[in-house]
Amino acid sequence: AHIDVAKKQLGELPIGITHFIMHPSVDTPELRAICPDWKARVANYNAFMSDELKKFIEGEDIKLIGYRQIRDAMRS
């Protein structure tokens, strides 16, 4: 389900920079103890680490960037 939601959201992106805030996490006892939404975080991690979603992102010609690239673009 998380992969399908991600595909829908990513497939509808406008041209330009889009910022997603997520909390993908590996399932650990500590995560379960401190995060009531741990299941969603683990599902996000598994979805975005999947080959299926990686191939979808490549097929949509989406370029993943981090804050360093945004910072550098803002400075230039």
Side-chain angles (χ1 to χ4, degrees), residues 2-72:
H2 279 265
I3 291 176
D4 294 333
V5 170
K7 283 181 175 180
K8 182 178 183 329
Q9 291 176 336
L10 294 170
E12 297 174 351
L13 290 177
I15 293 174
I17 294 175
T18 300
H19 184 247
F20 281 96
I21 299 176
M22 298 179 353
H23 299 97
S25 303
V26 175
D27 190 2
T28 65
E30 292 84 2
L31 179 71
R32 289 178 183 224
I34 64 172
C35 296
D37 65 338
W38 67 267
K39 287 181 183 179
R41 292 175 183 231
V42 171
N44 281 333
Y45 176 83
N46 290 331
F48 278 86
M49 293 303 291
S50 73
D51 287 336
E52 180 182 349
L53 195 53
K54 288 177 186 178
K55 288 177 184 172
F56 177 82
I57 289 170
E58 289 172 8
E60 292 290 309
D61 200 29
I62 295 170
K63 307 292 187 246
L64 302 178
I65 62 171
Y67 285 112
R68 183 169 292 134
Q69 290 95 336
I70 294 171
R71 179 202 63 199
D72 293 347

